[in-house]
Amino acid sequence: MGLSAVAHVVMKLGIRADADQVTIDSTTLFVALLCACIVIGHLIEENRWFNESITSLLIGLGTGTIILLTSGGRSSRVLEFDEQLFFIYLLPPIIFNAGFQVKKKQFFRNFMTIMLFGAIGTLISFAIISVGASQLFQKLNIAFLEMGDYLAIGAILSATDSVCTLQVLNQDETPLLYSLVFGEGVVNDATSVVLFNAIQKFDVSNVNSGIVWQFLGNFLTLFITSTLLGIIIGLLSAYIIKKLYFGRHSTDREVALMALMAYLSYVMAELFDLSGILTVFFCGIVMSHYTWHNVTESSRVSTKHGFATLSFIAEIFIFVYVGMDALDMEKWRFVSKSPGKSIGASSVLLGLVLVGRAAFVFPLSFLINLSKKSYSEKIEFKQQVTIWWAGLMRGAVSMALAYNKFANSGHTIVPGNAVMITSTITVVLVSTLVFGMITKPLVRFLMPPAKHSSSMVSSEPSSPKSFTLPLLGSRDDSEADTGSPTIPRPTSLSMLLRTPTHTVHQYWRKFDNAFMRPVFGGRGFVPYVPGSPTEMSVPLLNH
């Protein structure tokens, strides 16, 4: 009995050791691939066809091909896809850094336009893709899907990935265009995920007008509640750091507290079934406006570059994995018996993505332009084309949602589900590689660098790169704090509606200076502490 027990323990330890060795091998390979992506991405920085996202995807495809050949066609990846890994660990740093690095003035100046494109536009695209797929799939004799599946497909393929376009656009040279593409991308992701989760809980067999209004009410409540949670946690972090001033003893505590409270906003939103994307995005905006100015100067450098680095690594990791997973033979084996259906489904979905995107970008831009009095504030046709093109790429969010709906931890044994997984993979690969490679030449053709200054829709000067000046903003931010008299006070409702952006911004600045910054800190409202590393930067910060 004793010897058998020992043998059993040794055998278990051996199995565990093998499993640990596989994990180490996989981790080593992935870290090496990430390093290769960074080096190669740097070398082709000026290439007119490639960018970091496409490079990472191609490296993933190449690595997957090698693994597939060496494994005898069994697998093309070394890690199993887990949508929870994506949503809990990889997505938060990307979205938080997006909010932390955004130019707040441009974002909120165009807030209504961004919400129209990101929320209303996503709903229009969702409706077109869902209805179009349900009609066209029947003509292709793809009859294994139910209404709930078609709605899920609409939500899955409404999630855009504008990383390729954002890597080409310059935030300083085209502030309006960058703000619209960037802001719409974040709101779009949040809307798509919220839609998808709502559909999963929605009883499509019993649809009536009352349930539809209830669905829309819950949707809006979720949006507002998620946003408020992010704002509250961001303000709480600012208040704690301002009052306790951790920098007197350790800047590490400041950086750690900012990072952990940012992540806390995301996991709390997930805990309460809210939208973690919206929550962590607005938490990032609030932290950049208040918390970041309350920490020591060394902490500012650390957080600014630390958050950007985490986001950068997460994005590369996602694209590498998507490239490797695209060659997984298990999924393609199911559709090999009827390749025509798979090709037809992929073509239909890709066409619906193009049509669904155009169906709201150009009409909504027309309506937005009608409300603009000045020509310089209108969205030009070339900019509309750029916005349309920027949202054609599909990426990791679509992949994660597709796996969540049609697979279990990256695996599926249902042929119909395999068709949807492979079709989503095809749309992601074609849109990222083909559309992504054309993005840089297209943007440079539509808006040559020499014309950037004349095509800018905002007169806001480029923001300084130095971290000692207002992060993510421009000098106009600090000048606006003084309540410049150049903008007349509205004397009537009609005047308020004619100049809503400037008026709301002016009133917000006054409210911010009178009530928010004295409590939560911020630029120019941080208490002076003798010996603080921020002592030498005080004149610059108050500039």
Side-chain angles (χ1 to χ4, degrees):
M1 288 293 291
L3 290 175
S4 62
V6 171
H8 180 68
V9 171
V10 170
M11 185 177 69
K12 288 188 69 177
L13 287 174
I15 294 174
R16 185 173 299 175
D18 292 340
D20 290 342
Q21 186 61 43
V22 170
T23 302
I24 293 173
D25 294 342
S26 303
T27 304
T28 303
L29 176 61
F30 247 94
V31 172
L33 289 176
L34 295 180
C35 293
C37 289
I38 294 173
V39 173
I40 297 175
H42 171 73
L43 294 176
I44 62 171
E45 178 72 25
E46 300 301 325
N47 188 280
R48 65 176 299 185
W49 299 105
F50 293 94
N51 56 42
E52 215 104 40
S53 303
I54 297 175
T55 303
S56 302
L57 193 60
L58 290 175
I59 288 176
L61 285 169
T63 307
T65 303
I66 295 173
I67 296 174
L68 193 65
L69 294 175
T70 55
S71 66
R74 291 192 304 272
S75 177
S76 66
R77 58 191 179 186
V78 293
L79 292 176
E80 297 293 338
F81 185 89
D82 186 356
E83 53 270 14
Q84 292 302 316
L85 168 70
F86 171 76
F87 282 112
I88 300 299
Y89 300 109
L90 295 178
L91 192 58
I94 296 174
I95 302 299
F96 174 79
N97 186 64
F100 196 73
Q101 300 286 353
V102 70
K103 284 190 174 182
K104 300 180 293 297
K105 189 173 181 179
Q106 274 295 326
F107 180 81
F108 286 105
R109 174 176 289 172
N110 304 298
F111 185 74
M112 292 308 299
T113 303
I114 289 171
M115 292 303 295
L116 278 175
F117 282 143
I120 305 301
T122 301
L123 291 175
I124 295 173
S125 178
F126 158 75
I128 290 176
I129 294 174
S130 298
V131 174
S134 66
Q135 298 299 315
L136 295 175
F137 276 20
Q138 292 179 2
K139 295 184 178 180
L140 292 173
N141 198 24
I142 303 177
F144 49 77
L145 298 177
E146 299 177 353
M147 192 58 199
D149 297 324
Y150 290 118
L151 293 176
I153 291 170
I156 289 168
L157 293 179
S158 294
T160 65
D161 191 338
S162 52
V163 172
C164 290
T165 309
L166 288 175
Q167 289 175 347
V168 177
L169 296 176
N170 188 298
Q171 188 169 192
D172 294 323
E173 294 176 347
T174 54
L176 171 83
L177 191 56
Y178 189 97
S179 174
L180 293 181
V181 172
F182 167 80
E184 186 230 335
V186 176
V187 177
N188 164 272
D189 284 345
T191 306
S192 300
V193 174
V194 171
L195 261 178
F196 181 83
N197 291 335
I199 290 167
Q200 296 293 78
K201 303 173 184 177
F202 191 56
D203 183 12
V204 294
S205 62
N206 184 25
V207 179
N208 54 58
S209 60
I211 292 179
V212 171
W213 284 112
Q214 183 182 357
F215 175 81
L216 292 175
N218 293 339
F219 184 80
L220 291 175
T221 302
L222 194 62
F223 246 83
I224 296 171
T225 310
S226 302
T227 301
L228 288 177
L229 179 61
I231 293 173
I232 290 171
I233 295 181
L235 290 176
L236 181 63
S237 71
Y239 184 79
I240 291 174
I241 290 180
K242 176 176 178 288
K243 288 297 181 183
L244 300 182
Y245 200 80
F246 293 92
R248 287 176 297 181
H249 306 295
S250 171
T251 58
D252 297 338
R253 290 192 180 100
E254 289 182 320
V255 177
L257 187 63
M258 284 186 69
L260 289 173
M261 291 200 73
Y263 189 62
L264 177 66
S265 70
Y266 186 88
V267 294
M268 280 188 67
E270 295 297 315
L271 178 66
F272 296 127
D273 291 328
L274 301 175
S275 171
I277 295 178
L278 272 177
T279 299
V280 78
F281 175 69
F282 279 96
C283 181
I285 290 179
V286 172
M287 280 193 173
S288 72
H289 189 65
Y290 297 109
T291 314
W292 189 81
H293 294 282
N294 295 348
V295 299
T296 58
E297 194 153 316
S298 57
S299 295
R300 294 178 192 175
V301 179
S302 300
T303 53
K304 179 183 177 183
H305 295 291
F307 294 147
T309 301
L310 287 175
S311 172
F312 177 68
I313 294 174
E315 287 181 2
I316 294 178
F317 182 95
I318 290 170
F319 278 105
V320 169
Y321 187 88
V322 168
M324 294 175 67
D325 189 68
L327 297 175
D328 183 42
M329 287 296 102
E330 179 191 314
K331 308 180 195 62
W332 295 100
R333 196 173 289 121
F334 283 107
V335 301
S336 60
K337 298 178 181 179
S338 55
K341 286 187 178 180
S342 180
I343 295 173
S346 302
S347 302
V348 166
L349 293 176
L350 196 59
L352 289 173
V353 166
L354 292 166
V355 174
R357 181 78 184 167
F360 75 84
V361 169
F362 298 106
L364 289 181
S365 297
F366 175 76
L367 294 176
I368 290 166
N369 286 341
L370 290 179
S371 65
K372 303 294 184 182
K373 301 298 182 182
S374 171
Y375 179 79
S376 62
E377 294 180 345
K378 296 179 183 291
I379 304 175
E380 299 175 2
F381 181 73
K382 291 182 178 181
Q383 294 172 326
Q384 295 177 31
V385 174
T386 304
I387 294 170
W388 170 71
W389 188 266
L392 293 180
M393 275 70 80
R394 296 298 181 265
V397 175
S398 294
M399 289 282 289
L401 294 178
Y403 278 121
N404 187 289
K405 176 65 179 178
F406 298 108
N408 182 18
S409 297
H411 298 281
T412 180
I413 58 174
V414 181
N417 289 351
V419 170
M420 297 318 304
I421 291 288
T422 53
S423 298
T424 304
I425 291 173
T426 303
V427 171
V428 170
L429 289 179
V430 171
S431 63
T432 303
L433 292 178
V434 179
F435 297 164
M437 290 177 69
I438 302 174
T439 296
K440 191 178 291 186
L442 178 67
V443 171
R444 289 181 177 175
F445 170 76
L446 292 174
M447 290 174 296
K451 296 182 181 180
H452 273 162
S453 58
S454 61
S455 64
M456 280 170 31
V457 190
S458 167
S459 60
E460 179 179 343
S462 59
S463 60
K465 299 297 182 184
S466 173
F467 58 80
T468 56
L469 288 167
L471 174 69
L472 327 168
S474 69
R475 295 180 188 268
D476 282 294
D477 287 340
S478 57
E479 296 300 323
D481 293 343
T482 61
S484 174
T486 57
I487 303 173
R489 291 176 61 91
T491 56
S492 64
L493 180 61
S494 60
M495 184 177 180
L496 177 65
L497 294 175
R498 283 198 301 270
T499 57
T501 303
H502 303 296
T503 305
V504 171
H505 183 260
Q506 182 186 30
Y507 282 137
W508 160 249
R509 284 299 185 187
K510 290 182 177 180
F511 174 78
D512 195 25
N513 289 339
F515 300 102
M516 299 297 288
R517 290 188 180 184
V519 176
F520 299 104
R523 186 171 68 251
F525 284 83
V526 182
Y528 171 74
V529 177
S532 165
T534 62
E535 180 178 349
M536 295 190 62
S537 66
V538 169
L540 283 174
L541 292 174
N542 287 329
H543 179 67

